[in-house]
Amino acid sequence: MQADVAMEEWGVVLGVAAGAVRGSIPYLFVSLGECLTEKSGKINLGMEGVLLMGAMTAFAVSDQSGSPWLGLLAAAIVGAMLGAVHAGLTRFPKVNDVAAGIAMILFGSGLAFFFGKQFVAPMAPQLPLIDLGSWSASPAIHSALRISPLFFCGIALGFALHFVFQRTRWGLRVRAAGDDPLAARSIGIPVDRIRMTATVAGAGLAAVGGAHMTLYFPGIWSEGISGGQGLMAVALVIFARWNPLRCVAAALLFGGAQALGPSLQAAGQAGYYHLFNASPYVLTLALMALTCSRHGGVSGAPGALGRNG
Amino acid sequence: MKGLSRRAWIGSGAAAAAAAARDSLVLGFIYGGPKNDLGYNQAHAEGKQTLRGYPFVNALDEASVPETVAAEESMGNMIFQDGAQAVFATSFGHFDPFTLNVARRNPNVQFFHCGGLWQPARHPQNVGVYFGFIDEVEYLSGMLAGFATRTNKIGFVAAKPIPQVLRNINTFTMGARSVNPNITTKVVFTGDWVLPVREAEASSSLADQGIDVLTGHTGSPRVIVQMAERRGIFANGYQFNQSSMAPRGFLTGAEWHWGTVYGKYAELLRAGKSVSDGSIPRRLTGTLKDGFCRLSPFGPQVSPRARQAVAEASAKIIDGSLQIYRGPIRDNTGQLRIAPGVTLGVTDTELDKMDWLVEGVLGRTRS
């Protein structure tokens, strides 16, 4: 009985930790992609659509070609194309980023559902995992330590983006385009081109997050697969104050929160499951309220975010 | 261009369809989700497919019909453009008010809904309901889980604590405990019918807790079955045959067999019977015995002993000598729910009010 209780408590810790690793990946890629986009001054709310389209494309291509890596590549390309549509639309002075983004959510998800119809069927080849837990005799620990390579890519990407924004010429130009496009133009920075590049790259990254969902966890294509993760990741960028390293931390937090409800129930804490299941959403609201009020506004936002000019 | 207006074009199409409809019985089906979800919707779509064996039937269907006024649109199109004489609405939320509204507007068309609660005072006469009782099949499926488990712990990922789901959790557990009374079932509620990520998290957490047989009741437990396979434990399916998701660890599953029901309706409708005048029963229900539901084909790791025990129990259920709701049955708080000497048949309406979890289940129905 003692051992059972220990196992249950351990199970929650392990579940949340493992959940943080495997569940954070979509948040990680979407939020880093969105961070890049917003740094250049554009808002892409359509990430939810990009995520679904990436998920569907990765699954379909992996299923048809037999190669999950090809699926991943295809997802990134399709995501980039959706990003190009969004950037292309919002280049025009009177097109509102947010409105176009909402249209892109509907467009991306509709497209994904339409082409995904025949792929609701069983399984596509999955991405290989990196096995770090073979030393452990416990199947729970072993399973928690079988980690998707995308996780490490995402973390590395967070650091890389941070470096790019702080230390490189291109990063400075992206920030300039986002903070004050007029000033940036006056010193010869091609603002439109930079914004296009950032939006396309950002959406490509987000689509990789979608590929993770169909090629590893949970590893199927279903119309309900995203559960609003694309939108939450956009909110997460605001909470992370447009800092890629904070995006990484926030993504881990959200991944862990997502696993909290199920693992508490599995450990025998049966009550309040609706409350615990809602924890990622509660967290979004709480963090937004907290970060926005303390400093009397959203500090760290790119100066010209969402404004054309 | 005036002469080729959309209305006229649709009208001529409808006339042609109506002409074709005169020689065959046109039946329309709507599903709430994709036809190939390996779950609830696919079970209905397969049921509709069996109507191919009835040459006088022309069956149409539409998948992913939302539980909104769009359902009325879909049913209306089937009636006006394709000349459907009967419409089958399969998703719970299609019933009230959408199916009822269309039924009121089309008194000559018959409507059949899966699982709805028809009320004589409020609902139109041309609506019938059908449903199956799958409790006994869950019991048999649970028996196989009972034979397979080594850790005596079973995991159950459930969508919502509603009576139908609780009946399945309870009968599955009762079946497993009929083989081995030390077995306990851990339940995780996800909160909705289709939440793949949370279902996967729940499956994974249950596996972390040392369960070695996993099953569930969601729109399609294929994620659950697949996660079990990935973790190297056994899996029992539900709704539809999910053996393809777990070639190694699949044991069996309780699956629907709507083909029986739809075939029955097709015969009745062809004979000119109708639910309005009472020649088709208002409520058509059935159990394992009636072929409304069945066990999925057994997986490779099911032992001969387990096979035999399940075959015997199945025969006893069909001949009536094994009643699964036979008292005394206590819930997991120790309260007596079915008194000693009392036996409830699976079709007993008392069971539709179930709000408790049987002894041996770890979990709570109230959140």
Side-chain angles (χ1 to χ4, degrees), chain A residues 143-200:
Chain A
S143 144
L145 286 175
R146 284 163 59 85
I147 294 171
S148 167
L150 285 180
F151 178 71
F152 299 107
C153 295
I155 302 278
L157 188 72
F159 282 94
L161 267 183
H162 186 70
F163 178 81
V164 166
F165 287 143
Q166 298 300 320
R167 295 265 183 265
T168 67
R169 192 178 171 78
W170 191 75
L172 187 66
R173 287 156 73 111
V174 170
R175 280 161 52 205
D179 270 332
D180 195 338
L182 274 180
R185 271 200 192 94
S186 69
I187 57 163
I189 294 176
V191 172
D192 281 349
R193 212 167 67 205
I194 283 186
R195 287 181 162 184
M196 171 63 95
T197 314
T199 310
V200 167

Side-chain angles (χ1 to χ4, degrees), chain B residues 121-169:
Chain B
R122 295 175 49 230
H123 294 163
Q125 290 299 314
N126 53 336
V127 177
V129 293
Y130 59 99
F131 202 67
F133 295 96
I134 205 165
D135 312 47
E136 293 151 331
V137 190
E138 281 284 343
Y139 184 90
L140 296 173
S141 172
M143 282 180 71
L144 277 195
F147 279 110
T149 181
R150 298 280 164 270
T151 61
N152 291 347
K153 289 181 187 167
I154 290 172
F156 201 113
V157 180
K160 301 177 181 190
I162 60 169
Q164 235 201 50
V165 176
L166 299 177
R167 290 173 71 151
N168 285 342
I169 298 172

Side-chain angles (χ1 to χ4, degrees), chain A residues 15-54:
Chain A
V16 172
V21 172
R22 60 183 172 231
S24 64
I25 296 172
Y27 292 118
L28 200 56
F29 278 90
V30 178
S31 66
L32 289 174
E34 183 71 18
C35 185
L36 176 60
T37 307
E38 293 195 5
K39 275 282 191 191
S40 79
K42 289 271 120 191
I43 300 175
N44 187 359
L45 275 188
M47 287 304 197
E48 177 78 13
V50 173
L51 192 73
L52 282 164
M53 205 48 203

Side-chain angles (χ1 to χ4, degrees), chain B:
Chain B
M1 279 315 281
K2 274 269 162 64
L4 257 175
S5 79
R6 195 166 62 156
R7 188 173 292 266
W9 190 78
I10 289 172
S12 65
R22 271 193 286 279
D23 348 306
S24 64
L25 175 67
V26 183
L27 304 178
F29 291 81
I30 59 170
Y31 320 120
K35 272 193 267 190
N36 48 358
D37 66 353
L38 274 185
Y40 184 85
N41 295 300
Q42 193 164 357
H44 281 289
E46 288 279 325
K48 178 236 157 195
Q49 287 300 323
T50 58
L51 292 178
R52 283 184 176 167
Y54 296 74
F56 57 90
V57 173
N58 174 17
L60 320 153
D61 61 359
E62 188 175 335
S64 298
V65 176
E67 295 174 342
T68 64
V69 75
E72 292 189 26
E73 198 79 15
S74 298
M75 288 186 265
N77 287 342
M78 283 176 172
I79 294 164
F80 300 127
Q81 290 180 26
D82 306 306
Q85 289 130 292
V87 175
F88 294 81
T90 61
S91 187
F92 187 78
H94 287 153
F95 185 62
D96 193 3
F98 312 114
T99 302
L100 298 174
N101 285 345
V102 185
R104 279 191 195 102
R105 289 197 292 267
N106 299 281
N108 296 323
V109 178
Q110 320 232 5
F111 293 83
F112 300 98
H113 183 267
C114 184
L117 191 66
W118 187 83
Q119 292 161 307
R122 295 175 49 230
H123 294 163
Q125 290 299 314
N126 53 336
V127 177
V129 293
Y130 59 99
F131 202 67
F133 295 96
I134 205 165
D135 312 47
E136 293 151 331
V137 190
E138 281 284 343
Y139 184 90
L140 296 173
S141 172
M143 282 180 71
L144 277 195
F147 279 110
T149 181
R150 298 280 164 270
T151 61
N152 291 347
K153 289 181 187 167
I154 290 172
F156 201 113
V157 180
K160 301 177 181 190
I162 60 169
Q164 235 201 50
V165 176
L166 299 177
R167 290 173 71 151
N168 285 342
I169 298 172
N170 289 343
T171 45
F172 190 87
T173 307
M174 281 151 58
R177 283 166 67 94
S178 75
V179 174
N180 172 355
N182 297 321
I183 288 172
T184 54
T185 305
K186 273 196 165 156
V187 182
V188 174
F189 291 106
T190 59
D192 214 339
W193 299 109
V194 185
L195 289 171
V197 173
R198 198 174 294 156
E199 287 160 25
E201 282 293 354
S203 309
S204 180
S205 301
L206 284 165
D208 287 347
Q209 294 292 343
I211 62 116
D212 65 351
V213 184
L214 190 60
T215 186
H217 182 167
T218 60
S220 168
R222 71 197 155 117
V223 178
I224 299 160
V225 172
Q226 179 188 319
M227 286 306 289
E229 181 81 349
R230 218 184 267 180
R231 293 297 294 261
I233 59 179
F234 295 112
N236 289 46
Y238 183 61
Q239 312 269 29
F240 192 74
N241 180 2
Q242 279 128 4
S243 55
S244 59
M245 303 304 282
R248 272 178 295 133
F250 189 78
L251 295 174
T252 183
E255 60 178 63
W256 295 105
H257 189 218
W258 297 116
T260 313
V261 188
Y262 295 146
K264 207 174 259 185
Y265 273 123
E267 297 282 3
L268 286 167
L269 288 164
R270 178 155 106 130
K273 305 232 156 91
S274 105
V275 67
S276 310
D277 64 17
S279 50
I280 292 180
R282 179 74 60 196
R283 195 163 174 267
L284 186 67
T285 60
T287 60
L288 171 67
K289 190 174 68 182
D290 310 302
F292 276 45
C293 40
R294 60 187 176 192
L295 280 176
S296 304
F298 293 172
Q301 299 200 57
V302 176
S303 67
R305 192 165 72 99
R307 254 170 223 275
Q308 203 195 341
V310 168
E312 280 166 15
S314 174
K316 279 188 188 166
I317 286 174
I318 288 169
D319 73 20
S321 59
L322 174 60
Q323 293 282 344
I324 58 171
Y325 288 109
R326 180 193 292 270
I329 293 177
R330 290 178 184 280
D331 70 14
N332 63 356
T333 63
Q335 197 182 332
L336 194 64
R337 291 295 186 164
I338 298 176
V342 175
T343 300
L344 298 179
V346 285
T347 55
D348 201 307
T349 50
E350 185 61 30
L351 295 169
D352 291 333
K353 298 176 205 145
M354 193 177 286
D355 60 352
W356 43 273
L357 289 166
V358 79
E359 189 176 13
V361 180
L362 308 174
R364 287 219 311 249
T365 54
R366 292 202 184 83
S367 61

Side-chain angles (χ1 to χ4, degrees), chain A residues 85-161:
Chain A
V85 173
H86 181 74
L89 283 174
T90 56
R91 282 177 65 202
F92 301 107
K94 284 187 180 166
V95 178
N96 180 284
D97 278 17
V98 173
I102 291 171
M104 290 301 289
I105 296 180
L106 299 175
F107 177 63
S109 50
L111 214 58
F113 296 167
F114 178 73
F115 287 112
K117 258 187 209 161
Q118 63 263 47
F119 297 106
V120 185
M123 271 182 94
Q126 303 279 297
L127 283 174
L129 301 175
I130 300 171
D131 196 344
L132 299 177
S134 45
W135 51 269
S136 171
S138 148
I141 294 177
H142 191 172
S143 144
L145 286 175
R146 284 163 59 85
I147 294 171
S148 167
L150 285 180
F151 178 71
F152 299 107
C153 295
I155 302 278
L157 188 72
F159 282 94
L161 267 183

